[in-house]
């Protein structure tokens, strides 16, 4: 799904009206209805909640007034606070203000700090707040009355735990109020939402702003803009990874398929003390559907790796005195037969930074014509040697650095990488002519030709050793299964599914106790397949 700036969204709305004849008032009606529908599905007992709708004077407030009216029609009448004099509301928002009042809806006007002081008591009575104060038009930090309101709402939300249960919920309409629509940070207060229902497409700020964590769960709803209006626009090069991005992948297997139909992944991983990385990678490759998986690992640790999963094949590598992969594997042509007839090779997890091992990694990259996925120590081998990454065809190399690994490749700090995540992912993908998966909060997949995909599955519980090894194995397994014809979609599927598996595990175990070996991939795959079916059919 395409990701838009505020200006691109306004243009899409204009074209929807001018080209397809859908009035802007109808778009607002559809937007408010979409939020009300989401709340009705999220809260089965919606009518039992004390709902407070906070409206600004602009179109975002107009959306909020539609939400209020739609909730009232569902026997869940909210209290509405308008943070402006009614006479200052214009256009479609004014039309919906009139409809709210003509329908018998009560309106409480809060136009000053003095009026907010007594009205603030409404927060204490509410357990569900609909934030419709400010939308995508924010140009700078929120100040004055609305800044106070935002801060008070966040304080209200932070006290949401009552008797051990999360009893307070904030749903933002289109954007959390105060959040920039771009990837900048204005520095002012921003509503910390539990969920944000946005319209037509995600906005850049919801995915890449330093305050993007304020969005909570992101829900995108159609309100009338034809999908082809965005899909056919070649200038829109930023995508959100969601099930629709994988509609062209053959995720349902043919009845007459066999293990040879789904490729053979080779995982080069592990060393003495780091055999677990090889096990995690190999298991993940099998779990996502590779027909066959072989883990090549130093002979010293092969028995440990082989015991990790009976379905996993292993191949011994000649070892250094430290128990790491030796460059002699290439000199003696020991590695050639191991790599023969494989569909993809993933290198890095647990291989170590031993100098001889790093020579081995760099040499393998140049000697084999297979698709290669580099992670962990596979990336560290190219610190100071990044010019060697350009020697392969772009469709045959994918890098999966976390910010620290990217910093080592670029000889900068991790903070420098984090400050320019999208730009750095795109710049390095073009410079090295490869696919770059920059991991972290909202992982970015950048392509050699200037496109990028942002993923929002996953959680902080995945910030633990071994989760990157699992991703490497998943990417290798999916590449073996689907090939490289649509490799960016295949890689995107791996990133999205990896985060979803983390979410499934966190639902079951909580975030802090989560470890990389928690078996959540089968359930996550089933969930994604159900979503894929909904998109395709």
């Amino acid at each position: 799904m395409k990701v838009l700036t505020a200006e691109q969204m306004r243009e899409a709305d204009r074209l929807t009206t001018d080209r397809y004849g859908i009035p802007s008032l109808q778009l607002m009606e559809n937007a408010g209805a979409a939020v009300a529908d989401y709340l009705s599905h999220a809260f089965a007992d919606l009518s039992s909640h004390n709902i407070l709708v906070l409206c600004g004077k602009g179109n975002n407030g107009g959306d909020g007034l539609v939400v209020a009216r739609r909730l009232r029609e569902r026997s869940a009448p909210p209290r509405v606070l308008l943070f402006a004099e009614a006479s200052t509301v214009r256009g479609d928002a004014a039309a919906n203000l009139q409809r709210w009042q003509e329908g018998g809806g009560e309106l409480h006007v809060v136009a000053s700090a003095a009026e907010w002081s007594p009205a603030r008591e409404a927060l204490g009575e509410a357990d569900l707040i609909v934030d419709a104060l400010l939308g995508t038009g924010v140009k700078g930090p929120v100040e004055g009355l609305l800044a106070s309101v935002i801060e008070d709402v966040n304080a209200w939300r932070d006290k949401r735990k009552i008797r051990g249960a999360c009893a307070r919920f904030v749903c933002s309409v289109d954007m959390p109020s105060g959040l920039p629509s771009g990837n900048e940070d204005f520095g002012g207060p921003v509503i910390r939402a539990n969920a944000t229902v946005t319209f037509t497409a995600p906005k850049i700020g919801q995915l890449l702003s330093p305050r993007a964590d304020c969005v909570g769960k992101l829900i995108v709803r159609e309100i009338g803009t034809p999908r082809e209006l965005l899909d056919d626009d070649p200038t829109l090069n930023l995508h959100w990874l969601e099930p629709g991005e994988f509609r062209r992948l053959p995720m349902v297997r043919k009845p007459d398929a066999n293990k040879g139909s789904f490729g053979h992944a080779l995982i080069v991983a592990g060393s003495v003390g780091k055999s677990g990385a090889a096990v995690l990678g190999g298991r993940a490759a099998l779990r996502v559907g590779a027909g066959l998986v072989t883990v090549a690992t130093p002979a010293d640790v092969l028995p440990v790796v082989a015991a990790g999963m009976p379905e996993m094949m292993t191949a011994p590598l000649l070892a250094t005195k430290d128990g790491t992969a030796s460059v002699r594997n290439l000199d003696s042509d020991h590695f050639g037969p191991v790599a023969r007839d494989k569909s993809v090779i993933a290198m890095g997890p647990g291989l170590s930074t031993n100098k001889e091992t790093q020579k081995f990694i760099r040499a393998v990259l140049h000697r084999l014509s297979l698709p290669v996925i580099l992670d962990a120590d596979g990336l560290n081998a190219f610190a100071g040697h990044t010019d060697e990454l350009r020697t392969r065809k772009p469709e045959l190399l994918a890098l999966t650095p976390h910010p620290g690994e990217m910093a080592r490749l670029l000889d900068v700090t991790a903070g420098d990488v984090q400050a320019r995540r999208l730009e750095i992912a795109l710049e390095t993908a073009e410079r090295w002519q490869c696919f770059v998966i920059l991991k972290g909060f909202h992982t970015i997949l950048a392509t050699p030709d200037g496109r990028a995909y942002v993923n929002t599955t996953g959680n902080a519980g995945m910030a633990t050793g071994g989760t990157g090894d699992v991703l490497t194995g998943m990417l290798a397994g999916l590449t073996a299964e689907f090939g490289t014809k649509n490799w960016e979609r295949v890689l995107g599927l791996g990133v999205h599914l990896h985060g979803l598996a983390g979410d499934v595990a966190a639902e079951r175990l909580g975030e802090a106790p989560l470890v990389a070996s928690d078996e959540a991939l089968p359930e996550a795959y089933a969930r994604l397949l159900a979503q894929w079916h909904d998109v395709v059919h």
Side-chain angles (χ1 to χ4, degrees), residues 444-462:
I444 298 168
L445 163 63
T447 71
D449 60 357
R451 286 168 294 117
Y453 299 78
V454 184
N455 182 62
T456 54
T457 59
N459 59 81
M462 299 173 72

Side-chain angles (χ1 to χ4, degrees), residues 270-338:
S271 59
V272 170
K274 296 181 179 179
S275 56
V279 174
L280 289 169
R283 288 174 59 180
L286 282 165
R287 281 296 189 191
V288 296
L292 295 167
V293 173
T294 294
V295 177
T297 194
D300 298 7
V301 298
L302 187 144
V304 178
V305 174
M309 193 174 192
E311 298 87 350
M312 193 165 60
M313 295 182 287
T314 53
L317 295 178
L318 301 176
T320 67
K321 61 181 178 61
D322 295 329
T324 67
S326 170
V327 74
R328 291 182 293 117
N329 287 290
L330 296 175
D331 295 339
S332 62
D333 199 31
H334 181 84
F335 190 72
V338 174

Side-chain angles (χ1 to χ4, degrees), residues 4-19:
L4 306 181
T5 65
E7 292 74 19
Q8 289 166 340
M9 187 67 250
R10 283 192 287 271
E11 178 65 6
D13 285 344
R14 185 189 69 79
L15 291 174
T16 300
T17 297
D18 292 352
R19 189 178 297 175

Side-chain angles (χ1 to χ4, degrees), residues 208-282:
L208 296 172
S209 164
R211 308 290 294 280
D213 59 334
C214 292
V215 171
K217 182 179 181 180
L218 180 62
I219 298 101
V220 181
R221 290 289 184 263
E222 303 286 349
I223 61 170
T225 299
R227 180 55 44 196
E228 62 267 19
L229 187 66
L230 304 182
D231 290 345
D232 295 344
D233 187 341
T235 67
L236 302 178
N237 291 322
L238 188 61
H239 300 246
W240 180 44
L241 282 177
E242 43 80 32
E245 291 292 331
F246 318 125
R247 60 168 56 90
R248 294 186 180 89
L249 294 179
M251 296 184 66
V252 176
R253 296 186 166 190
K254 295 180 179 179
D256 61 348
N258 58 71
K259 63 186 178 183
S261 305
F262 306 112
H264 191 162
L266 175 62
I267 313 289
V268 182
S271 59
V272 170
K274 296 181 179 179
S275 56
V279 174
L280 289 169

Side-chain angles (χ1 to χ4, degrees), residues 365 371-374 379 382 386-401 406 409-410 424-438 444-453 487-488 491:
L365 183 70
V372 174
I373 298 163
L374 289 178
L379 295 167
F382 288 89
T386 55
D387 56 317
E388 297 181 30
L389 295 170
R390 287 184 57 91
T391 61
R392 293 177 60 86
K393 295 179 180 180
E395 69 271 17
L396 295 179
L397 178 62
L399 313 182
T400 65
M406 179 62 87
L409 290 172
L410 297 178
I424 282 179
L426 286 167
E427 288 167 5
T428 53
E430 180 184 15
R431 185 186 316 160
W432 300 329
Q433 282 297 288
C434 64
F435 293 88
V436 171
I437 297 171
L438 182 55
I444 298 168
L445 163 63
T447 71
D449 60 357
R451 286 168 294 117
Y453 299 78
W487 205 19
E488 66 194 69
L491 296 172

Side-chain angles (χ1 to χ4, degrees), residues 141-142 150-151 154 175-180 182-193 196 204-216 441-442:
V142 181
I150 292 172
E151 290 167 350
N154 287 340
M175 293 285 286
S177 292
L179 184 72
N183 61 0
E184 63 269 64
D185 184 1
F186 293 146
V190 177
I191 287 280
R192 292 195 294 273
T196 299
I204 289 177
Q206 294 167 342
L207 305 182
L208 296 172
S209 164
R211 308 290 294 280
D213 59 334
C214 292
V215 171
F441 178 68
H442 291 183

